[in-house]
Amino acid sequence: MPPEPARPAPGRVTWPPPELAVPPAHLPPTPPVTGPDGVRRHDGLSYATTSGYRARLLDLAVPPAARPPAVVLWVHGGAWMEGDRRHPPPTVSADLLFGSVLRAGLAVATLDYRHAREAPFPAQLHDVKAAVRYLRHHADRLGVDGRRIGVWGESAGGHLAALAGLTGTADPWLEGTEGVTEGDSAVAAVVDWYGITDVADLLPDDPGPLDPYATLLGGADPADPGALARRAVAAGPVAYVRGAAPPFLLMHGTDDTLVPYAHSARLAALLRAEGNEADLVPVPGAEHIFLNADVAPLVARSVAFLARHLSEAPAPETVP
């Protein structure tokens, strides 16, 4: 038997306590609460715990179904500096967004990730990938099909969703070691609403201290004036369009003044040039977060896209 950890002398307090010297990387799922509609809800699951950071949480809702359903992972926006897993943008209600996914027979997971003031990129992508691995690792306990996971994000969340679809496990810098470390973080389909696809394109020449792009990238380095620009390129989804990718649906307002429509158009063109499916849906006259647009048809088309591709999704190469 291994030796017991040393005990502190009486009257002395040590930190961390011996039994917590190696904190868990994540916590297993807690039992769900089943509502009158038959939906099983797991709220506040700790998919990643890292000393020095708040625990990263996700909520999961699983509709009643004859077999474990596929999962849609929602990634919120907020310029990487704010936002909450429980609240969609103000132009779409939670019932319309998340309810539509459940009514299509798909489970829906929503996650919080580290904001840019907590940790610079790629911490946010590490958290999204950790959530995918967590759902896949605990699929049996959660009652979902861990082989079929899609990701849907808006704005900053669209940026992270696109990266999750385009970056595999070959680059440890992008994969991270948060939460469940074994298993595949691949996703089977991506819906990107007005996401940033080229961070370098939007990085100001002289960013201020609250600029979201410079904050995401960890700020300027006086000793290396070119570092920020290089990091901006490395944070852009357009840099990772190489060969096969999951099917993408990109929706973007043509009058978006925060993230130009050209961002989604460029990513779609690059994906198609590599032989991938990339549906580009311009939303005429719409601003950011689809202001000035009827969002209900956009939600319906997004859910239909996910339902179709997740029903057809092949198993990833490795499933624990």
Side-chain angles (χ1 to χ4, degrees):
M1 295 181 62
E4 292 188 3
R7 299 291 178 178
R12 295 187 60 193
V13 176
T14 62
W15 188 263
E19 61 271 21
L20 297 180
V22 181
H26 63 94
L27 298 179
T30 52
V33 174
T34 303
D37 55 0
V39 175
R40 303 191 311 276
R41 299 184 184 275
H42 299 262
D43 291 335
L45 298 178
S46 296
Y47 72 87
T49 58
T50 308
S51 179
Y53 295 100
R54 60 188 168 97
R56 268 84 78 211
L57 305 179
L58 66 79
D59 298 340
L60 174 69
V62 184
R67 65 188 182 101
V71 185
V72 175
L73 178 63
W74 168 260
V75 189
H76 69 77
W80 308 284
M81 295 201 291
E82 56 189 43
D84 187 298
R85 71 186 187 277
R86 298 164 296 183
H87 303 299
T91 46
V92 55
S93 69
D95 178 69
L96 176 59
L97 186 68
F98 306 139
S100 294
V101 176
L102 291 169
R103 289 186 285 271
L106 303 171
V108 58
T110 64
L111 84 155
D112 286 334
Y113 53 86
R114 284 171 289 178
H115 294 159
R117 290 195 184 103
E118 296 176 272
F121 182 84
Q124 298 72 29
L125 178 59
H126 290 173
D127 290 349
V128 173
K129 286 175 171 283
V132 172
R133 293 193 300 267
Y134 184 92
L135 293 166
R136 187 159 283 147
H137 182 79
H138 292 294
D140 288 344
R141 293 185 64 171
L142 296 169
V144 298
D145 188 342
R147 299 169 301 172
R148 299 182 293 140
I149 299 176
V151 62
W152 181 1
E154 60 98 17
S155 194
H159 162 260
L160 297 173
L163 283 171
L166 292 170
T167 59
T169 59
D171 191 338
W173 181 70
L174 294 171
E175 189 68 16
T177 57
E178 303 296 322
V180 175
T181 55
E182 66 272 14
D184 199 330
S185 65
V187 297
V190 177
V191 174
D192 177 357
W193 278 8
Y194 46 87
I196 300 91
T197 65
D198 185 351
V199 177
D201 176 59
L202 297 177
L203 180 68
D205 293 334
D206 186 20
L210 298 181
D211 177 75
Y213 301 99
T215 303
L216 174 71
L217 302 172
D221 181 357
D224 186 355
L228 197 61
R230 292 194 301 272
R231 293 198 295 269
V233 171
V238 293
Y240 301 99
V241 182
R242 297 187 291 261
F248 269 67
L249 171 63
L250 301 108
M251 292 184 165
H252 210 128
T254 58
D255 289 3
D256 194 326
T257 56
L258 286 181
V259 181
Y261 170 79
H263 274 236
S264 288
R266 181 184 174 197
L267 180 57
L270 290 171
L271 286 163
R272 291 168 181 165
E274 293 289 325
N276 299 297
E277 177 181 344
D279 297 342
L280 175 64
V281 179
V283 183
E287 244 289 8
H288 204 62
I289 67 169
F290 293 144
L291 284 169
N292 308 320
D294 182 359
V295 182
L298 306 179
V299 172
R301 182 163 180 176
S302 300
V303 172
F305 175 90
L306 289 163
R308 174 165 59 91
H309 285 289
L310 293 179
S311 68
E312 303 168 352
E317 293 182 3
T318 56
V319 177

